[in-house]
């Protein structure tokens, strides 16, 4: 890629440089939020709805755990931790990946050509096309759940090590959900009718990740580890935080879930999955542009 | 025109693959099977060269492949075959670099932020294209004035009328001083005044800045008032490429002589043998005689009629641009199918 070259007329030549993208992200994302705020009531009601739906989901979980002291060997605070981790990851992922989720509408409306007419990377433009500010509410709920888990005092230890593990896990989980949105977006180029199937994986995955994975049937468990790496969103990192053994044998070769290998495995899986997603994205985009398929 | 042409296209091809839609439940089920696709050849073979500062009108009936051609030349779509260079760049390989040097307006779509004031959209585009603040301010002032944006710069785009929005779209495409403009139906739905303004701006860009313009339109007044050169595309092929005058010479030869006879006369006028002329309509003493200019001149025809039937009045009607283009389309589809 060439740098900035000016021609005789003072025009800037060459593509827009990558280093200007972060500031552009802030501007374009800001424009999306300002657009949403044009419809104040709808924005407020939507944010409230999202907040309420998640909150009720969490309440239902608490009611259930209040009745049964443990869920397949997981105590109430432990389940709250799983729920909180998955919820926070999903909130972060959706804040950045909302554009991929809505992409099928853009393609159907024929508005995607405009994206390709601009001098910016397509992936970047889709990321900025939908920024969901009200996801902050969801993030807050996840935090509340984790706080509840910690304040219960029943977690084995809670120090800098655990906080670091939690942060790393939430970020890795966010990457996994984000990659899922990207793969869903790639499908929009193949068929605009797949959005419900895609939702089953994104929202369905987030819901599934709220229950301890070792309670699931073995084939589902395997799929949720190696096909769609949900296990790495919260189950595997939670084992380390909670000092639990990997009773269900989710990890291969009996890797110690609290050991350094497992600690590295979580972000490694997340990045590998993101790599798969970016290949899928490229294939989808090529198909849209008709560049051989 | 010196050096390489601004736009150079050779043998461009593109077919769309569409899932075949078949009637009935069984047909719908078959749609789920792979391989059941229709191939729509949108662009079969388009070749053209456009020099710097040319203003070329691309015409053709609906579905001829004009928009598809524009999308390939702007790097939005990859062709199935053929070559193209715009400003020396292969559009689909250097999409982002080219995008910064060209302006694109699709009359049917918007590049503006729907819920934000027009001014905000223009400001965002300034950053998207990396335009310096002073240059942006200068261009906005100049083009904004020419196209009269002032009164609605602060109105959200969704509340603009179609014509207001189109003027905004054009300014949006001009802020980064593009060297080439691709305009796909830029005057769609505009009133006479707005069309006039847009045409003035385009003429100015070509004359003063040497901008190259390729525009598609169904508005024959655009063609007549703007285009030096016409490229007619039909069924994905260029079937005519040349100056507008040439089009008139080729497809506008048939004129009509309208005469008011001084006395009653038979219908049709008997014994009038002029090669290339025939009577096409009669209403009392008024007669319409169509004649081919390449075979007989108007004065010869008038003389021939007047020598037998005294004339009270006469008028010669040249075909309008609409009619010329209509004839060109009719001839073109014959040629493309044959
Ligand atoms: N995305 C697409 N998928 C399938 N077929 C398409 C697609 N876009 C265009 N076509 C088909 O390709 C052909 C050419 O379309 P195109 O839009 O280029 O025509 P056009 O000359 O711009 O017509 P108009 O004057 O109506 O705008 C048409 O038969 C159209 O149905
Ligand atoms: Mg078109």
């Amino acid at each position: 890629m060439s740098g900035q070259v000016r021609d005789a007329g003072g025009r800037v030549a060459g593509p827009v440089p990558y280093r200007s993208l972060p500031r552009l992200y802030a501007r374009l994302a800001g424009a999306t939020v300002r657009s949403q705020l044009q419809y104040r009531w709808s924005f407020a009601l939507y944010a409230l709805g999202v907040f309420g739906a998640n909150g009720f989901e969490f309440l239902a979980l608490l009611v259930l755990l209040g009745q049964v002291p443990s869920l397949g060997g997981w105590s109430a605070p432990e389940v709250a931790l799983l729920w909180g981790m998955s919820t926070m990851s999903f909130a972060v992922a959706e804040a950045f990946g909302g554009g991929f989720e809505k992409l099928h509408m853009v393609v159907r409306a024929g508005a995607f050509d405009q994206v390709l007419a601009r001098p910016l990377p397509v992936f970047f433009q889709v990321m900025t096309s939908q920024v969901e500010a009200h996801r902050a509410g969801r993030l807050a709920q996840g935090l509340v759940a984790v706080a509840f888990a910690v304040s219960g005092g029943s977690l084995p230890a809670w120090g800098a090590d655990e906080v670091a593990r939690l942060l790393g896990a939430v970020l890795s989980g966010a990457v996994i959900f984000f990659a899922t949105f990207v793969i869903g977006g790639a499908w929009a180029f193949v068929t605009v009718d797949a959005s419900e199937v895609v939702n089953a994986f994104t929202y369905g995955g987030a819901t599934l990740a709220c229950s301890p994975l070792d309670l699931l049937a073995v084939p589902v468990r395997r799929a949720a580890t190696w096909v769609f790496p949900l296990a790495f969103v919260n189950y595997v990192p939670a084992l380390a935080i909670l000092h639990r053994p990997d009773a269900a044998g989710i990890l291969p070769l009996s890797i110690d879930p609290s050991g350094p290998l497992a600690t590295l495995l979580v972000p490694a899986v997340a990045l590998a999955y993101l790599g798969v997603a970016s290949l899928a994205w490229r294939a989808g985009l090529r198909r849209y542009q008709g560049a051989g398929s | 025109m010196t050096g390489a042409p601004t736009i150079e296209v050779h043998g461009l091809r593109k077919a769309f693959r569409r899932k075949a839609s078949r009637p009935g439940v069984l047909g719908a089920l078959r749609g789920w099977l792979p391989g059941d696709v229709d191939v729509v050849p949108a662009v079969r073979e388009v070749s053209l060269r456009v020099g710097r500062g040319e203003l070329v009108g691309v015409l053709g009936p609906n579905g001829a492949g004009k928009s598809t051609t524009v999308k390939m030349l702007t790097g939005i779509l990859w062709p199935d075959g053929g070559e193209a260079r715009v400003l020396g760049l292969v559009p689909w390989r250097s999409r982002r670099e080219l995008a910064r040097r060209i302006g694109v307006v699709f009359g049917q779509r918007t590049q503006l932020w729907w819920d934000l004031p027009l001014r905000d959209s223009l400001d965002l585009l300034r950053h998207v294209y990396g335009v310096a603040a002073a240059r942006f301010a200068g261009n906005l002032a100049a083009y904004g004035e020419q196209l009269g944006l002032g009164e609605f710069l602060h109105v959200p785009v969704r509340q603009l009328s179609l014509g207001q929005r189109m003027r905004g779209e054009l300014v949006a495409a001009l802020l980064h001083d593009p060297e080439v403009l691709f305009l796909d139906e830029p005057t769609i739905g505009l009133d006479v005044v707005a069309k006039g303004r847009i045409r003035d701006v385009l003429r100015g860009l070509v004359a003063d800045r040497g901008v190259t313009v390729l525009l598609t339109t169904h508005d024959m007044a655009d063609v007549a008032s703007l285009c030096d050169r016409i490229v007619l595309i039909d069924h994905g092929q260029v079937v005519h490429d040349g100056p507008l005058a040439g089009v008139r010479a080729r497809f506008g030869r048939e004129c009509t002589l309208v005469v008011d006879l001084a006395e009653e006369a038979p219908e049709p006028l008997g014994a009038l043998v002029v090669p290339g002329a025939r009577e096409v309509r009669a209403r009392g003493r008024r007669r319409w005689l169509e004649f081919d200019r390449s075979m007989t001149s108007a004065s010869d025809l008038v003389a021939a009629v007047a020598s037998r039937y005294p004339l009270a009045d006469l008028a010669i009607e040249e075909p309008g641009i609409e009619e010329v283009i209509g004839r060109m389309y009719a001839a073109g589809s014959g040629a493309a199918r044959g």
Side-chain angles (χ1 to χ4, degrees):
Chain A
M1 293 282 117
S2 59
Q4 294 285 285
V5 187
R6 277 167 200 277
D7 68 7
R11 262 188 291 246
V12 190
V16 175
Y18 283 106
R19 72 187 133 73
S20 65
L21 291 186
R23 291 185 66 190
L24 256 180
Y25 180 88
R27 272 186 213 286
L28 295 174
T32 311
V33 174
R34 264 186 293 144
S35 296
Q36 290 163 355
L37 287 173
Q38 294 287 312
Y39 307 90
R40 279 169 219 289
W41 274 105
S42 132
F43 182 81
L45 289 174
Y46 188 37
L48 196 72
V50 170
F51 197 81
N54 280 292
F56 289 137
E57 191 186 310
F58 185 48
L59 277 181
L61 190 73
L62 286 186
V63 169
L64 187 75
L65 290 172
Q67 297 302 311
V68 267
S70 88
L71 196 64
W74 294 73
S75 70
E78 287 175 335
V79 174
L81 182 72
L82 287 179
W83 192 90
M85 289 169 77
S86 158
T87 300
M88 283 198 282
S89 291
F90 195 77
V92 174
E94 204 171 33
F96 291 96
F100 295 92
E101 192 187 346
K102 303 268 160 59
L103 187 61
H104 64 102
M105 295 191 222
V106 175
V107 172
R108 195 193 315 231
F112 194 72
D113 289 343
Q114 294 297 339
V115 172
L116 289 164
R118 290 198 180 134
L120 298 177
V122 174
F123 193 90
F124 172 82
Q125 290 187 69
V126 175
M127 258 178 81
T128 57
S129 67
Q130 194 75 38
V131 176
E132 311 228 335
H134 50 260
R135 298 298 166 199
R138 206 170 220 203
L139 189 66
Q141 284 171 340
L143 265 176
V144 168
V146 171
F148 167 83
V150 173
S151 65
S154 53
L155 300 190
W158 190 252
D161 198 31
E162 279 72 21
V163 172
R165 273 180 193 281
L166 184 79
L167 272 180
V170 167
L171 284 182
S172 300
V175 169
I176 289 172
F177 281 128
F178 177 78
T180 311
F181 281 120
V182 172
I183 292 173
W187 267 103
F189 298 123
V190 179
T191 166
V192 288
D193 305 321
S195 60
E196 285 309 320
V197 180
V198 171
N199 283 348
F201 280 91
T202 51
Y203 291 91
T207 308
L208 192 65
C210 292
S211 47
L213 267 191
D214 54 6
L215 305 187
L216 302 176
V218 174
V220 180
R221 209 189 284 169
R222 289 269 172 270
T225 309
W226 300 117
V227 182
F228 175 25
L230 267 185
F232 296 91
V233 170
N234 55 0
Y235 178 82
V236 172
L239 291 181
I241 295 172
L242 299 172
H243 302 293
R244 286 179 70 105
D246 179 17
I250 293 257
L251 290 173
L253 314 167
S254 39
I255 294 174
D256 174 13
S258 310
L261 201 56
T263 310
L264 283 179
L265 194 59
V266 172
V269 165
L271 289 179
Y273 190 50
L274 188 62
V276 170
S278 94
L279 290 180
W281 173 256
R282 270 190 223 171
L285 188 59
R286 268 209 303 277
R287 193 182 160 112
Y288 179 86
Q289 294 185 291
S293 52
Chain B
M1 185 168 109
T2 53
T6 305
I7 302 175
E8 189 163 23
V9 187
H10 191 76
L12 209 57
R13 286 189 287 120
K14 175 90 193 169
F16 289 105
R17 270 152 280 272
R18 268 203 286 246
K19 272 266 171 248
S21 60
R22 298 184 193 284
V25 179
L26 274 180
L29 285 177
R30 268 184 71 186
W32 285 82
L33 299 176
D36 193 22
V37 290
D38 288 338
V39 176
V40 185
V43 174
R44 290 167 201 259
E45 137 83 78
V46 167
S47 303
L48 67 133
R49 288 158 73 94
V50 180
R52 182 167 182 274
E54 268 195 276
L55 205 163
V56 176
V58 176
L59 306 182
N62 293 135
K66 304 180 296 293
S67 298
T68 309
T69 302
V70 170
K71 283 180 196 173
M72 288 190 278
L73 294 184
T74 49
I76 292 172
L77 293 178
W78 283 57
D80 294 340
E83 290 154 32
R85 280 183 186 272
V86 176
L87 295 168
L89 300 169
V90 177
W92 46 92
R93 291 193 194 285
S94 312
R95 179 186 74 77
R96 292 198 287 131
E97 194 176 346
L98 182 64
R100 220 166 170 203
R101 296 174 61 189
I102 63 175
V104 186
V105 174
F106 289 107
Q108 318 267 19
R109 309 258 184 265
T110 182
Q111 56 183 320
L112 306 170
W113 279 254
W114 200 239
D115 292 314
L116 298 182
L118 177 57
R119 168 73 217 218
D120 289 24
S121 284
L122 299 179
D123 219 41
L124 285 164
L125 287 170
R126 156 166 123 69
H127 292 102
V128 165
Y129 284 88
V131 182
R135 179 174 282 269
F136 170 78
N139 281 342
L140 180 56
Y143 298 126
E145 162 134 30
Q146 281 185 66
L147 288 165
L149 296 197
E151 58 209 87
F152 51 81
L153 260 180
H154 296 282
V155 178
V157 171
R158 76 185 124 89
Q159 292 172 10
L160 296 180
S161 76
L162 179 59
Q164 291 172 331
R165 204 197 78 217
M166 285 309 301
R167 288 188 260 165
E169 302 276 356
L170 190 64
V171 172
L174 293 176
L175 291 174
H176 58 290
D177 291 319
E179 295 157 69
V180 185
L181 271 180
F182 289 95
L183 310 172
D184 195 4
E185 301 189 38
T187 54
I188 192 166
L190 298 191
D191 69 30
V192 185
V193 178
K195 274 183 189 170
R197 283 176 161 179
I198 286 193
R199 287 180 199 143
D200 287 344
V201 169
L202 293 181
R203 270 192 293 258
L205 285 168
V206 171
D208 307 339
R209 304 198 182 202
V211 172
T212 308
V213 181
L214 194 130
L215 79 101
T216 79
T217 184
H218 289 295
D219 183 328
M220 294 313 149
D222 284 347
V223 177
S225 77
L226 279 179
C227 305
D228 321 318
R229 178 177 157 198
I230 285 177
V231 171
L232 175 70
I233 295 187
D234 192 27
H235 289 85
Q237 283 172 301
V238 175
V239 293
H240 178 90
D241 182 349
L244 185 57
V247 175
R248 274 197 192 279
R250 193 168 146 197
F251 297 99
R253 289 185 313 223
E254 262 124 44
C255 301
T256 309
L257 173 69
V258 187
V259 289
D260 283 337
L261 304 174
E263 297 159 7
E264 294 298 331
E267 280 178 40
L269 295 176
L272 180 71
V273 191
V274 178
R278 65 199 172 89
E279 189 175 334
V280 289
R281 222 177 128 196
R283 206 172 62 214
R285 292 185 186 174
R286 177 165 289 189
R287 304 299 163 89
W288 284 261
L289 304 165
E290 202 178 84
F291 65 102
D292 185 334
R293 263 190 179 159
S294 65
M295 295 171 75
T296 184
S297 73
S299 58
D300 285 351
L301 182 62
V302 171
V305 178
S307 68
R308 287 166 193 270
Y309 309 99
L311 298 182
D313 198 3
L314 67 84
I316 294 169
E317 288 177 355
E318 294 206 320
I321 181 89
E322 297 260 356
E323 208 180 327
V324 173
I325 303 288
R327 286 183 201 166
M328 188 165 78
Y329 281 12
S333 26
R337 282 197 202 99

